[in-house]
Amino acid sequence: MPKSAKRRKEKAADFAKAKLKLGKGKQAPSNAIDTSFKARSIALPSQSIAVEKDDSAPTTRRKLSLNDLLVNIKHHNPGTRKDTIFGFRELLDAHWELIDSSLPILVNATVRIIGDEDAGVRKALLSFYSWLLPRIPKEDLVPHAPLILLFTTSAQTHIFPEIRIDAVRFLNIFLEHFPEVIVSGWDTANNSHGSRVLEGYLGVLSAGTITGDAEGLPVATSTASVMLTPASKLVVLQSLSRFLEAATGFQSTSSTFEDAWFLTSSFNTTEAYIAFSQLLQPSSTQNSSPHKAWSSEMDPEDDVSPVSSSLATRASNLSIQLQELSNDIALCRTFCEVGASTSSGNPFVVRLAKTLHPTLISIFLDCAPLVFSPSSSPPETEMELVLAVVSITRILYGLIIQESSPILSAIDELQTILGYMAPFFPFYSSGRKDVKTEQVFQDLNLTYCDLTSRLVLASQNTGSTPRQSTSRGKKERQLGRNASQADRVQEYVLQILHEQVSSSQLVRALTPTAYNSLLPTVWSLLNYSGRNGEHLERSEEVLEAIVEHAVKKGSKSALKRSTFNFVARLVLLETDVHYQGAFQFGTGIEVNKMIEEWLSQLPQVLWELGPGNPSTSESIVLFLLRLLQRRSRFIHEQTLTSLQTRFAPYFHITHPTRGAIRGPFTRLPKNGLALPSGLRRRILDVVILLCTHGSLSSGTILRDAVDSALVDTEDDEYWAHLKRDYTSRS
């Protein structure tokens, strides 16, 4: 039987020669044995037999000591680096005593990953710094600030935008704990910390640089193509606002009742304004200085302290005491030094405002249609962006225009920004009505009013020197826009003072901070120099509203101190010989009646305050003392009689059933004879002046009440001295 074809092929294959092909290597024999091998190494630094471990050293739950964590922070694996940061917090939380010896090492190791390319590592480090820095004293952190800022400013210029944004978040933390170091040299070009940080902000915003001629255009940066999301822009703008507040000392959203900068231009000298601003300042807020009681002979060995005494009985027309005058001189010197430094930095601020001007307008125009849409609720990110833009605008242009001679180009830039904001004013939300949204819109309204008032005041200061390039028609259009904006601001001010609420708009109740922020606006409406009959009528309407608002606020109201200080300053202005503003009370019957009613309420306010708020009580007493000393036109027979009658129960009252009762005066703090400028003696000075100028019958009742209240007290001798002096002069 012939062999099959399969068998023949298999037999022939055993003796066939394999054909080699081009490019193919020689095939290995079928019976070849593979002798290659692979080896892997395992690194166990924590288990090395060459290193002796200290078992007494504090460790984490993973048995890692501080030295182990310092090694792992440099690991190539992002997860290991992030776990190491968590280990630092765990170790320090359980063994805080390690921070004293390991702070330099810890800072040196962690700042190097501020610009880490892994987002999880940067987020963990942000959380770690937020936990660590508040627990370390500031004096221990400041020596490490240069190293921290070196890596932070480097991360601000990183090629990846997300690392730049996280660097700004790190700056927010550092601004809370050592802002002086961060902003140092911000307005110079000597490569200081502040200048590098500011350049980083401008680079992230693609706003350009501040180099070059002060009058030229901003120089574009090389990374101007970076596009940021609204959330990233919000982080940068909010941080920039905090940076500028720390650098300039100019608060973007708040002020105090003692800050009356808007009155500065209404006095012929800076010293006169400072003296006026100190008239109502309580002794607790003044620079503490030693006092000495008056003595007929001088002790040559103890001639180091100024002698002060009450001047109410010796010279009723003097407005300040000797000690207050010395304080005013010291404050004047400080004010002049600060003013000189601010003026020297003003060109840089002008340049910075010009650099940021296009960016601020662009962001506002991008967000305004969404925030102020009448058909939808405002997005939170865009709403916060608008607030940040307005805050930065107020800091920069508020600082520039607050100068006595503001730059005309800055006035034009501010007018442009307000022109874009004007169509949306007053700002109200048509959607949700939560507390946060209402607060944001109130801040926007108050800031717009403040900027408008500054623009009006600046236009008055520069009205005599118009720009040569401004045509007459353009000038008239600008004045028309300013007048229109002022009218709308006035309507809003009246609405918020009257606390009016409509169905479509909600006016949030005024807080002390909001009220103090509104005062520059109110003053610009009252003190408008180019007033005609229409302006005078509107000014009187605003004045009535502000006085009526002050009358309605009770003594326990949070606004009582602020409303009193502002109205008291208005009343005292016309009694100051150095005042040169346009505002005057005039002859309005309604306003004068309101002022007299407000004055008559002050003894009742003192009664209700009692000993609980001595600073406010002292301000009220100082006001009455200045008013009586300066012979204000509001102090006439009817007002004096009312004050005498209402002051008597403050000292002593006879109750129908309970008998004689001493008033709140006896519960005031006792200052002793060593402090003749104390609150109790200031009140007695006011009383003796009321008895001197008032009616005889009411004055007798008041003197009898004081006599009954001061029986067997340390102030009885001082009161007897005042009465003897009063009797000798009468």
Side-chain angles (χ1 to χ4, degrees):
M1 184 175 180
K3 296 181 179 180
S4 64
K6 182 178 180 182
R7 292 283 302 273
R8 288 197 300 271
K9 289 181 179 180
E10 291 178 353
K11 186 177 180 180
D14 293 337
F15 301 95
K17 182 179 180 181
K19 294 182 179 180
L20 299 177
K21 295 183 179 180
L22 184 63
K24 298 291 185 179
K26 184 179 180 180
Q27 295 182 355
S30 59
N31 59 349
I33 298 175
D34 186 10
T35 59
S36 63
F37 66 92
K38 296 181 179 180
R40 294 178 179 270
S41 62
I42 302 176
L44 300 174
S46 61
Q47 300 181 14
S48 175
I49 61 176
V51 179
E52 295 183 1
K53 298 194 64 175
D54 185 7
D55 295 334
S56 62
T59 59
T60 64
R61 288 176 295 180
R62 295 185 178 183
K63 305 301 180 183
L64 297 175
S65 65
L66 181 61
N67 292 331
D68 299 332
L69 294 173
L70 292 174
V71 172
N72 290 344
I73 198 67
K74 303 175 184 178
H75 201 275
H76 63 85
N77 190 341
T80 303
R81 297 197 298 272
K82 183 171 68 174
D83 293 340
T84 301
I85 297 174
F86 295 147
F88 281 135
R89 178 168 180 173
E90 177 188 347
L91 186 63
L92 293 175
D93 200 9
H95 305 278
W96 182 250
E97 65 276 4
L98 293 174
I99 199 66
D100 295 332
S101 58
S102 59
L103 180 60
I105 303 174
L106 182 64
V107 172
N108 187 52
T110 54
V111 295
R112 301 178 184 276
I113 58 174
I114 288 179
D116 197 284
E117 294 186 1
D118 186 79
V121 175
R122 298 194 302 272
K123 184 177 180 181
L125 186 61
L126 278 168
S127 176
F128 176 65
Y129 277 166
S130 300
W131 172 84
L132 177 67
L133 296 187
R135 290 168 169 78
I136 302 177
K138 183 177 180 179
E139 56 270 16
D140 294 339
L141 282 176
V142 170
H144 304 286
L147 180 64
I148 294 174
L149 291 177
L150 175 64
F151 286 93
T152 306
T153 53
S154 176
Q156 274 187 294
T157 59
H158 200 278
I159 190 174
F160 295 135
E162 56 271 15
I163 296 180
R164 296 186 184 186
I165 302 303
D166 281 341
V168 173
R169 292 190 173 98
F170 280 106
L171 283 173
N172 290 337
I173 300 176
F174 303 149
L175 280 170
E176 295 178 2
H177 299 95
F178 42 91
E180 299 85 0
V181 182
I182 296 178
V183 303
S184 61
W186 72 284
D187 55 352
T188 61
N190 56 0
N191 199 27
S192 58
H193 298 312
S195 62
R196 291 200 304 269
V197 171
L198 183 58
E199 289 176 2
Y201 282 124
L202 299 179
V204 174
L205 291 173
S206 303
T209 62
I210 319 178
T211 59
D213 185 14
E215 295 297 330
L217 296 175
V219 181
T221 58
S222 59
T223 57
S225 60
V226 176
M227 299 297 294
L228 299 178
T229 62
S232 299
K233 289 181 181 178
L234 177 61
V235 173
V236 178
L237 289 178
Q238 288 180 338
S239 181
L240 178 59
S241 178
R242 297 190 190 101
F243 177 85
L244 293 175
E245 283 185 6
T248 62
F250 191 94
Q251 298 296 321
S252 62
T253 57
S254 65
S255 59
T256 63
F257 55 82
E258 297 176 354
D259 183 15
W261 61 265
F262 46 87
L263 297 177
T264 308
S265 60
S266 299
F267 289 85
N268 52 12
T269 62
T270 303
E271 293 80 1
Y273 162 72
I274 295 176
F276 178 81
S277 64
Q278 297 299 310
L279 290 179
L280 304 181
Q281 186 174 353
S283 57
S284 58
T285 61
Q286 295 179 355
N287 297 330
S288 60
S289 57
H291 291 75
K292 292 179 62 178
W294 182 86
S295 175
S296 58
E297 297 182 0
M298 183 186 69
D299 185 359
E301 297 181 357
D302 191 22
D303 190 25
V304 294
S305 301
V307 178
S308 61
S309 61
S310 177
L311 300 181
T313 60
R314 296 297 182 186
S316 61
N317 290 330
L318 293 178
S319 61
I320 54 177
Q321 298 180 357
L322 293 176
Q323 183 58 39
E324 294 171 348
L325 182 59
S326 63
N327 291 339
D328 292 343
I329 295 174
L331 287 171
C332 178
R333 293 174 180 171
T334 304
F335 185 87
C336 294
E337 292 174 0
V338 173
S341 61
T342 304
S343 299
S344 61
N346 190 42
F348 182 86
V349 179
V350 173
R351 179 66 181 173
L352 178 60
K354 180 181 293 187
T355 303
L356 286 172
H357 184 256
T359 303
L360 297 176
I361 290 180
S362 175
I363 296 176
F364 179 82
L365 293 179
D366 289 341
C367 301
L370 296 175
V371 175
F372 307 119
S373 174
S375 59
S376 61
S377 300
E380 184 174 358
T381 301
E382 283 74 8
M383 180 178 65
E384 294 288 345
L385 266 175
V386 170
L387 181 61
V389 168
V390 174
S391 299
I392 294 174
T393 303
R394 184 176 186 267
I395 294 173
L396 293 177
Y397 292 97
L399 190 65
I400 296 170
I401 296 180
Q402 191 167 317
E403 297 292 329
S404 57
S405 299
I407 307 299
L408 293 175
S409 60
I411 296 178
D412 293 340
E413 293 169 4
L414 177 58
Q415 194 168 19
T416 302
I417 296 177
L418 293 179
Y420 287 115
M421 296 173 61
F424 305 102
F425 180 80
F427 310 110
Y428 293 105
S429 173
S430 58
R432 62 178 185 271
K433 300 291 185 181
D434 57 278
V435 176
K436 182 179 180 180
T437 303
E438 293 176 11
Q439 184 63 49
V440 169
F441 277 88
Q442 185 186 67
D443 291 342
L444 287 174
N445 284 318
L446 294 176
T447 306
Y448 178 86
C449 293
D450 180 79
L451 290 174
T452 303
S453 65
R454 293 175 186 270
L455 183 62
V456 172
L457 293 175
S459 300
Q460 296 177 23
N461 294 336
T462 59
S464 58
T465 57
R467 300 180 65 178
Q468 299 296 330
S469 59
T470 304
S471 62
R472 179 177 179 181
K474 182 178 180 181
K475 205 181 307 179
E476 292 177 353
R477 289 193 298 270
Q478 290 177 353
L479 293 175
R481 286 196 297 268
N482 291 343
S484 176
Q485 293 174 1
D487 290 341
R488 300 177 67 178
V489 166
Q490 180 189 0
E491 293 177 3
Y492 174 78
V493 169
L494 293 176
Q495 183 181 12
I496 201 171
L497 288 176
H498 292 309
E499 298 178 352
Q500 297 176 354
V501 180
S502 62
S503 59
S504 60
Q505 299 174 352
L506 176 62
V507 178
R508 184 174 174 82
L510 278 175
T511 62
T513 300
Y515 182 86
N516 295 325
S517 301
L518 195 65
L519 294 184
T521 305
V522 174
W523 176 249
S524 67
L525 295 173
L526 296 176
N527 194 51
Y528 184 61
S529 60
R531 297 188 295 178
N532 50 27
E534 182 181 358
H535 290 130
L536 287 173
E537 183 178 353
R538 287 186 292 180
S539 174
E540 187 172 349
E541 187 177 0
V542 174
L543 182 59
E544 290 179 4
I546 202 73
V547 176
E548 181 182 1
H549 183 264
V551 170
K552 289 182 178 179
K553 293 301 172 184
S555 59
K556 302 298 183 181
S557 173
L559 288 175
K560 188 61 180 180
R561 179 74 180 274
S562 299
T563 57
F564 165 77
N565 273 270
F566 184 65
V567 177
R569 284 192 173 104
L570 293 181
V571 174
L572 289 176
L573 274 177
E574 62 181 15
T575 66
D576 198 296
V577 295
H578 300 287
Y579 173 68
Q580 56 183 9
F583 167 74
Q584 297 291 338
F585 268 97
T587 58
I589 300 177
E590 293 296 329
V591 175
N592 291 338
K593 286 184 178 180
M594 289 182 181
I595 292 294
E596 293 172 3
E597 179 184 359
W598 176 76
L599 285 173
S600 302
Q601 285 184 352
L602 295 182
Q604 178 183 351
V605 174
L606 288 174
W607 169 281
E608 294 173 352
L609 290 175
N613 195 342
S615 60
T616 303
S617 298
E618 187 174 359
S619 295
I620 295 175
V621 173
L622 284 173
F623 166 71
L624 292 174
L625 186 62
R626 309 309 185 202
L627 204 65
L628 291 167
Q629 289 172 343
R630 298 185 173 201
R631 307 293 183 95
S632 172
R633 64 186 179 92
F634 293 105
I635 300 299
H636 48 75
E637 183 177 358
Q638 182 178 358
T639 307
L640 287 171
T641 303
S642 176
L643 288 174
Q644 288 173 337
T645 304
R646 299 191 181 196
F647 244 117
Y650 185 68
F651 296 90
H652 187 270
I653 189 174
T654 303
H655 195 270
T657 58
R658 298 173 59 185
I661 301 175
R662 291 188 175 184
F665 175 83
T666 57
R667 299 194 300 271
L668 293 176
K670 297 180 180 180
N671 298 298
L673 295 175
L675 293 176
S677 61
L679 176 58
R680 295 165 67 97
R681 295 195 173 183
R682 289 185 184 273
I683 295 176
L684 295 179
D685 292 340
V686 172
V687 170
I688 201 64
L689 287 178
L690 287 174
C691 296
T692 303
H693 302 297
S695 64
L696 181 60
S697 58
S698 300
T700 303
I701 296 175
L702 179 57
R703 284 197 308 275
D704 293 342
V706 177
D707 291 338
S708 302
L710 295 182
V711 174
D712 297 332
T713 63
E714 60 183 9
D715 294 317
D716 191 18
E717 182 180 355
Y718 182 75
W719 173 242
H721 168 72
L722 294 179
K723 288 194 299 182
R724 286 195 301 269
D725 186 83
Y726 161 72
T727 304
S728 63
R729 286 188 296 168
S730 59

